[in-house]
Amino acid sequence: PSQRPVMPWTGPVVLGLVVVGSASGIYSYMDGKFGFAAQRARQSQSASSLQGMPNPVEMVARLETRLRQNPNDLQGQIMAGRSYMALQRLEDAEKAWSKVVELDQRNHEAHYHLGLILLQSGNHAAPKIYEEALSHFDAALINVPRDPAGLWYQGVALVHLKRYREADDSWTTTYQNLSPGSEDAEFVK
């Protein structure tokens, strides 16, 4: 009589599914029974109000109102760009940083963030994305030529453009501008 061979991986897979399902079920039960999610939300809200910290979403809404009244407010656009980056609202951040560049073509922070947004959100098969990102990093590095973050991402864009020697130069300069022995320096190394 022929028997089907037992798959050696079926046991661990089934056990893994049982563990994941059990953990998920226990968490859902405990969360429903004790209301952990609601409790965390209340604690977060009360901690903010106790510390006198305004709600970030409300702050951004006020800033947006201010910018609708005066879209050429350079400092307001910079604050909006930073806020949108923190909130991962990349499309809004791109608009704010583009307005900053329109108002101040030499603003290195805006160029840096526009390059970063392109690297994070673009069609990574299209070299044009990397060329545009590289032009923003190059513009940012004019005013802050030793900025490790700008140099690092400049190198990333260069690698995607297959310009390896220039990427190596960029990353070498990045390494030279970091604290020796730091976690960042070890990563770049």
Side-chain angles (χ1 to χ4, degrees), residues 26-88:
I26 290 170
Y27 178 79
S28 296
Y29 170 77
M30 297 299 282
D31 192 40
K33 181 172 176 133
F34 298 108
F36 289 141
Q39 185 179 6
R40 283 190 301 271
R42 283 191 303 276
Q43 287 173 344
S44 175
Q45 288 174 346
S46 66
S48 291
S49 63
L50 288 176
Q51 297 172 3
M53 297 295 293
N55 179 331
V57 176
E58 290 174 10
M59 289 174 45
V60 170
R62 284 194 301 267
L63 180 59
E64 289 171 336
T65 299
R66 174 178 146 190
L67 290 174
R68 275 193 294 278
Q69 294 169 355
N70 182 10
N72 293 332
D73 177 355
L74 178 62
Q75 291 307 312
Q77 292 291 353
I78 291 170
M79 289 184 342
R82 289 174 183 161
S83 298
Y84 293 141
M85 293 298 289
L87 295 171
Q88 291 296 303

Side-chain angles (χ1 to χ4, degrees), residues 98-111:
S98 294
K99 185 65 176 181
V100 171
V101 168
E102 179 186 315
L103 297 170
D104 177 9
Q105 293 179 350
R106 296 181 49 119
N107 187 291
H108 63 275
E109 184 179 7
H111 282 291

